[in-house]
Amino acid sequence: MTARSKLYGVIGAYREPEPLVSAARTLRDAGYAELDAFTPFPVPALDAILQTRATPLPLLVLAGGIFGAVASYALILYSVMVDYPIDVGGRPLNAWPAYLVLAFEGGVLGAALAGFVGMLALNRLPTYYHPIFNAPSFTFARDDRFYLLVKSSDAKFAEARNALRRTGAILVEEVAP
Amino acid sequence: MPQLFRPRANALARWIVLLAVIGTIFLGTGATFYLRSDFDTGVNHPLAQPVPFSHQHHVAGLGLDCRYCHTGVETSAVAGIPPTEVCMTCHSQIWTNAAVLAPVRESFASGKPIAWTQVNHVADYVFFNHAIHVAKGVACVTCHGEVDRMPLMMRAHPMQMEWCLGCHRNPTPYLRPPADVFDPEWSPPQDIAAMQAALASHEKIDPSKMTDCYVCHR
Amino acid sequence: MAEARAATLVRGDPGYPEITGRIASIVLAGRLPRIFWLGFLGFFALMLLFLFAIAYLVAAGVGKLGLNVPVVWGTMITNVVWWIGIGHAGTLISAVLLLFRQPWRNSINRFAEAMTLLAVAMAGLFPILHLGRPWFFYWLLPLPNTHMHWPQWRSPLVWDFAAIATYIVVSLLFWYMGLIPDLAVLRDRARSRGAQVFYGLLALGWRGSAFHWKRHQTVYFLLAAIATPLVVSVHSVVSLDFAVAIVPGYHSTIFPPYFVAGALYSGFAMVLTIAIPLRAAFGLRDFITQRHIDNGVKVMLAAGMLVAYGYLSETFFSWYSGTPYDRYELFARFLGPYAPCFWIMLACNVGALQLLWFRRVRNNMALLFGIALVINVGMWLERFVIVVSGPANDFLPSAWNTATLTWLDFALLFGSLGTFFALMFLFVRILPAISIFEVAEEAHQEGAA
Amino acid sequence: MSATAEPLDLARLRAEAVERGPQFWRSLEELADTAAFREYLHNEFPRLAARFDIAPDRRGVLKLMAASLAMAGLTACKKADHIAPYVDKPADVTPGRALHYATALSIGGYGFGAIVESHEGRPTKVEGNPDHPASLGASDAIMQAACLGLYDPERSRTPTKDEQAMSWDAFLGEVAALRDEIGNREGAGFALMIGPITSPSEAWLIDRLRAAYPRMLLCVHDPLAADGERTALQQVFGRATATLPRLGQADVIVSLDADFLGEGPGRLAHARAFSSRRIVRDGATTMARLYAIESTPTITGASADHRWAVRGSAVPAIAAALAARLGLGADVNAPVPSAALDAIAADLRKAAGTGLVVAGPHQSADVHLQVHAMNASLGSFGLAVDYIPPPDYRPPGAVSLGALVEQMRRGAVTALLVLDANPAYTAPGDVSFAEALVKVPRTMHVGRYVDATAKASRWHVPLAHDLERWGDIRAFDGTASIIQPLVQPLYGGHAASEVLSALLGEYSASPLDTLRTYWREIGGLDDAAWRAAIQRGVISGTTSAPVVSNAAPVLSSKVNPAGTGIEVRVVPDPWLRAGEYANNAWLQELPRPLSKIVWGNAALVAPATAGRLQLASGDVVRVARDNNAIELPVSIEPGHPEEVITIALGFGQSAIGQVGNGVGANAFPLRAGEALWFLDGLSVSKAEARAAVVTTQHHHSMEGRDIVRNGTLAEYVANPTFAKDREPAPSGTLYPPWPSREEAWAMVIDQTACIGCMACVSACQAENNIPTVGVDEVANGHEMHWLRVDRYYTGSVDNPGVVFQPVPCMHCEEAPCEEVCPVNATVHTHDGLNAQIYNRCVGTRYCSQNCPYKVRRFNFLDYQPFAEGTGSPLAALMNPDVSVRSRGVMEKCTYCVQRIERGRIEAELADQPIADGAVTPACAQACPTQAIIFGNRNDPGSRVRRLHEHPLDYALLAELNTRPRTTYLARVSNPNPALAKLEEPVHG
């Protein structure tokens, strides 16, 4: 038990995405829960297997957009109707066709900021120190490696090493916490 | 692959992000407050004068009327700084050799004006007319503060555009009977609100006419 | 075998590490061709000229530019529109083509985005230089001031200000989003500690987790979806600066689409202007392949024809409007003081364009490069003609006058070009000019297919 | 407040002066060099230290200190700035309230009554004096520019001998020496040269001088004088007599080369009288008719119903031919169609006593004789024309310039004093004044500038400006006025009467004493009458009574044949006159009414002549009389007589100042002998050079647009609303209306009354602190005039119709400019003004872009740096009620909002509504023909309301639906139906 608690997890490395995907599927079927994969480019096939989700993000972006638009228009209305109503070229105070342009730009800005900030927040970035980098062979992009991680918190962590080897990982190593 | 950063880098990074956000907010609000602070507007900072003239003494003490010195106030845009001769009308009789009055005597003798330091001035590019304000029932003290309590002259109000607009948009509460505008001791009667409303309508004081840019900027 | 792959996006079958290696090496292997440094120094000199010209303009006043009453708008506004237009291609390539899943975008989107950023930054500078009192440009923002003053929201210039600001921010975010994984690549491949830390900090500790990729890709697509209407709106708003005005030659409903098409046109011209030398200089022919160029040219051809149609309809409606003012303005545009600009513009934008119908031309890089340059010039002239010819001949003949450009006008134009390219060079030197992870993904899929 | 609280910093001034290049305030260098001045200013009043160089006497000090106080209004205040109050305030001065003084200005020696606005002793604005017959409340460009002339830092500042600064007393010493020299020989060898004067007291002094020195030579040198009329009427009446046309009485006017609207001491009065018979108001169906036959395009010709451009030497023939048709003398053939002359004669005869023929002053005595005979035969005496003793001083026995120079060359003149004349510059080519001058041992010059004559003379004494001296002067009709000073001489100038008194040995006589003595003893004014005269600006009872004419008309038998070949028509420049105003930037930059040329003169030629000589505008031509040659650029003028070149005088000076030096070419040397105005036998050749003719209007056709709407009287009578009918159907607006409960300020401009004299433009410049930008900037299209007078040609280029259209801001109710301003710098006020807030403007120039009338002006560069305390006297010229605009700011006509606000405040203080006419913009106040009417459109009784409802009223570019508050009355002309088919009528 002690050895196990010392670790963050074990990773298995593969040369191509496909074996990684199949390996992930096998482990998932074998009942492993605490899995993660590290790939140099997005591998959509993994999403279903690892049940990665981005649910809040689209809503966040939508909310940001609505807020931006409403806030812009509200500010404009306050300024021209309440704070300093003034006759500009005989135009009505609430010249909505003009203001909609600004509301639109405000909406776009709000949406974009919400999306970007949301992505970073949900991914907990920046995370400059992460245990995975302790794995001696781990690299994001130095050479052709696709990794599957079984976290030490997994119930079946004890068998993880063998399980990974069985999936044909070219090497399996432990990841210090 | 070896770790590039130490574990505390994460916390550090998040702190920095947080501080940056808070800092910008703080700077923004701080600036807006600074612009309105007495430090920037010079409110309540007495300025040194060549002669330490005390409105408190002359107004509250001796009961001089504002118009005795500021003669233009009822007829002209400029209230006017009194000529040296006005000072000398009294001070050729009393305090004839007080040390503090030396500059006055010197000015009268040499014909060289006393260089007073300006205390009250409206914002840049503003054309202000004293006569109309006085005529409509805006008292001296309403803008210049209780000069009868000022040993040395100082600003009572920021005299920024938003301050002017405060009254020009809602003049009624600042009115008093034109007869009393020069009375620093004036205390509002009970029915002041009603009186002010009556004044506003009688003097045809209409904010919609008083917020045009051209009222002050020409 | 080779022939079969000739039209593919990643020529030959470089393995994934090879791809990352070759792209990253441009940045990491410090050795660069001498031509690179020569070019950089040349543009840097222009950048210094730009700074001097700006200082002189601010010190002396806009009267030193070729302006007067009635021609109160001149090259500063022209430059704004022109640079914004150039900016559009980047966003189009990276966002719109991403949405339409056009894989061929992958190897050009990154530098196209950088181009967008720099171009829009240039564009953002000129409205300020245009002002009579540039140091007060922030009065266009709603700030809590002691004058209780607000921007005049009905003014297209305020819309412009908002649109350009939004555009800069969104393109910046979009660009950085895409850049994060590539920064991580550089971090891992960098040898010197300094480089590792530098890229490491920028990469925010990206490690390629499947969960991260999922969210990253989601937002990346959402941003693309947002940027697409934005890019259309920006140049439409710019066009409203003119269309909202009552000046004959400005007051036209065709302007928004016409300006957007013009933007794409000039934008792709600039993409080619950069891509063709880039692939030659850094041996990236395997990544920016014939097909990339060819597709770009085809987009350009389409946009160009739209612009040509714009000229046509503008002319027609000026005549059809029946108002003496519009008709005279049209006449003045063809035969008036600024007529030379107009005819040169036509030759560049409509004349030279027709060559692109021929595959032989499209395959001839040198010729394409030339045509791209010509079109850049033509599009600048188009904006210039629009800006000056209307006011020069508007309603009261007594007020008609023309303004002649001064050295300062040209110093600022070429100075901004120099600055743009100097920064572009720095970008290529410091950041990957081609999206590594996307090309890798692309290559992998092709390999798998 | 201006930041010159520290004492005058010479180094800084010099530095600025040098880097600034040729601008007025550079001459501060000289100013700052006099140690006394430096010391004096330093301890006197720091703020103004940089501004003035004045004699340290009490009154001047007071006024200037007051000025320093008023300076507060000029620029923005900073913290801890200083206030310099009066030490001893004059009773009549209330800081912040302007005072108005009645006085008179001398233009060409004749008086124009003026009311001068003074802010704490700073004269800032000149208006016409309604009580004065020569101005009738109106003014012209030269009067408006008087204040700039007063502050001009380049006026001479100190007496000099051989270019060394001397004192006034030293000069008096010289005068004493002179008196000793000539005293014992009855003034023999002494010559006094004066400019044209009408001043009774100065005339009195000179007469006394001539009595004291019978053998002294007196020369009245007026380079713009013409003797035709004087000679002719001398012959008729047996004594000096002047014509006084009564245009208000005339139904039919024939001008034989007479520009009575633009030239002559009565021009403003004539313009008022003429327009009073031209404007068509409700009901009116009659109008005076004007036929103009002229030798160069003039605004009189522009206002005419029928106009013929002929060479000047052909006018005698035309006069004779017209006279013949009135039954006087034999017919000769003339360059005007015979049928036309028949029609004119018929028209004149029909009008009988209200028919009037006016001869141009430059025309020969023969023409004037013919004209006198014609008016006699028409029976117009006492009705349409009067004859009065001439108001100007032309004593018998005065010698001509030529004669004087002859004497000088023969060494017969040992001492010459030139008083307010500049013969070294204005002498004709065949009179070499300069080289004769060196033969005179004792030479003295008294003048406002160190000009050519001053430089050639040993002594020079600065002459006081009209606004800083006591004096008197007569108007065109003989009415005398007192000239009273508004400020002590800024640069130590002395009045002419002081010099004359000194010559009489009265060295300490003050001009006021001299004046008072004269008017008490000779003029017979008691103190009450004196005070009244000063108050009203007019001395009652001094108007000349018309001479009762029983003299039989004399017909001149001979008719000089018209010359052949190219004829050079020399004209005085409308603003620079004989060059005495050449250093006045306002006048230099004020577009000439027809050519719109600024900052220089050009050789004006007809299109046909230009074609024949293959000249294009901008080509330089060389015009030469034997060894006197000038080169100047060609400008092609539609409607110019063929085979004639018009050249304006007053330009090309070398010693007047930074502003005027080297501007244009000097045409005086082309004159010779009797040929002063119509020069023939000159060689005209095309030089290889090209030079820019800088104008403010580049396109001269309306391009068929309905801009200036005009019709004939007949059309108007037939359909009064002909102008409105041309308007497109009034289109609605999508915008809900804004309430207009209060005043609705509006302006109506009557294009029938407008004669294009440009008085409004200069008045606007003077009132609103509008900068001059210099010739290069105007060439760049950066001129700043808020109000421009557009001039369009209609019809053929050879004899086109001319229409004028003053274009101020239209103050559109739905202003296109406001909607596009990103910073709210231009917005609407509750009373309908289109406000421009300079201090909010960031200079996007979008408003100008979107202004269909292009009436907005932009400060492309820093045109008024002296307002920021660089220490120019010109800062004292500024109207303290108007902001001085900085670089990068848009500006435009405000309807003189400072006057509106003053009127509003006055009215509210008095608890009255603003009365109609209580607020008058500068342009309307200056207009000689009252063509500009301003007022409250919401007031049913106001003139502007009535005119707005007039059938002729229309809006410029109404189809744009901008709803302008400034509207126009269509131009109505009154051509003779009988001539309609003969030549193209003026309305095109």
Side-chain angles (χ1 to χ4, degrees), chain A residues 76-91:
Chain A
I76 294 172
L77 277 191
Y78 168 74
S79 70
V80 297
M81 311 282 278
V82 182
D83 190 55
Y84 210 143
I86 207 166
D87 175 355
V88 173
R91 309 304 197 263

Side-chain angles (χ1 to χ4, degrees), chain D residues 753-767:
Chain D
C754 177
I755 57 171
C757 69
M758 304 297 287
C760 46
V761 180
S762 53
C764 178
Q765 178 155 39
E767 170 73 13

Side-chain angles (χ1 to χ4, degrees), chain D residues 19-56:
Chain D
E19 48 113 321
R20 266 236 188 67
Q23 298 184 40
F24 333 103
W25 44 89
R26 173 188 277 185
S27 66
L28 271 170
E29 281 179 292
E30 312 139 28
L31 173 157
D33 279 335
T34 65
F37 157 77
R38 199 179 313 168
E39 198 276 330
Y40 158 69
L41 277 181
H42 186 301
N43 50 32
E44 223 14 272
F45 27 82
R47 172 156 304 109
L48 272 197
R51 293 210 167 86
F52 288 99
D53 169 8
I54 71 156

Side-chain angles (χ1 to χ4, degrees), chain A residues 83 128-130 133 135-136 138, chain B residues 1 3 5 10 14 169 211:
Chain A
D83 190 55
Y128 289 116
Y129 176 93
H130 191 276
F133 294 116
F138 179 85
Chain B
M1 168 185 169
Q3 289 281 2
F5 301 94
N10 296 345
R14 280 159 205 169
R169 287 173 170 179
T211 49

Side-chain angles (χ1 to χ4, degrees), chain B residues 105-154:
Chain B
R105 295 191 294 273
E106 192 274 334
S107 155
F108 197 61
S110 69
K112 174 180 172 185
I114 308 168
W116 298 101
T117 304
Q118 191 172 25
V119 175
N120 286 295
H121 51 77
V122 287
D124 297 354
Y125 306 106
V126 169
F127 291 85
F128 180 85
N129 185 302
H130 276 89
I132 191 67
H133 286 84
V134 170
K136 295 284 178 181
V138 181
C140 307
V141 295
T142 311
C143 303
H144 293 286
E146 296 172 320
V147 291
D148 57 325
R149 292 194 176 70
M150 295 184 189
L152 256 186
M153 197 57 187
M154 59 188 184

Side-chain angles (χ1 to χ4, degrees), chain C residues 283-358:
Chain C
L284 294 174
R285 288 192 180 73
D286 296 352
F287 300 107
I288 305 176
T289 63
Q290 195 58 50
R291 188 175 147 203
H292 291 113
I293 304 294
D294 203 54
N295 289 348
V297 172
K298 281 171 181 161
V299 176
M300 206 162 87
L301 190 53
M305 292 315 289
L306 278 176
V307 170
Y309 170 76
Y311 299 153
L312 211 61
S313 75
E314 216 188 351
T315 313
F316 171 73
F317 281 108
S318 298
W319 167 78
Y320 188 64
S321 69
T323 65
Y325 316 116
D326 289 299
R327 285 187 173 181
Y328 190 94
E329 198 278 331
L330 187 68
F331 161 78
R333 189 174 288 198
F334 292 161
L335 302 170
Y338 293 111
C341 299
F342 176 79
W343 293 113
I344 297 174
M345 179 267 279
L346 270 192
C348 297
N349 292 354
V350 183
L353 175 69
Q354 305 312 324
L355 292 172
L356 300 179
W357 292 105
F358 307 103

Side-chain angles (χ1 to χ4, degrees), chain B residues 27-37, chain C residues 143-146:
Chain B
L27 280 180
T29 47
T32 59
F33 283 114
Y34 171 81
L35 287 175
R36 293 159 175 80
S37 67
Chain C
L143 296 171
N145 56 50
T146 60

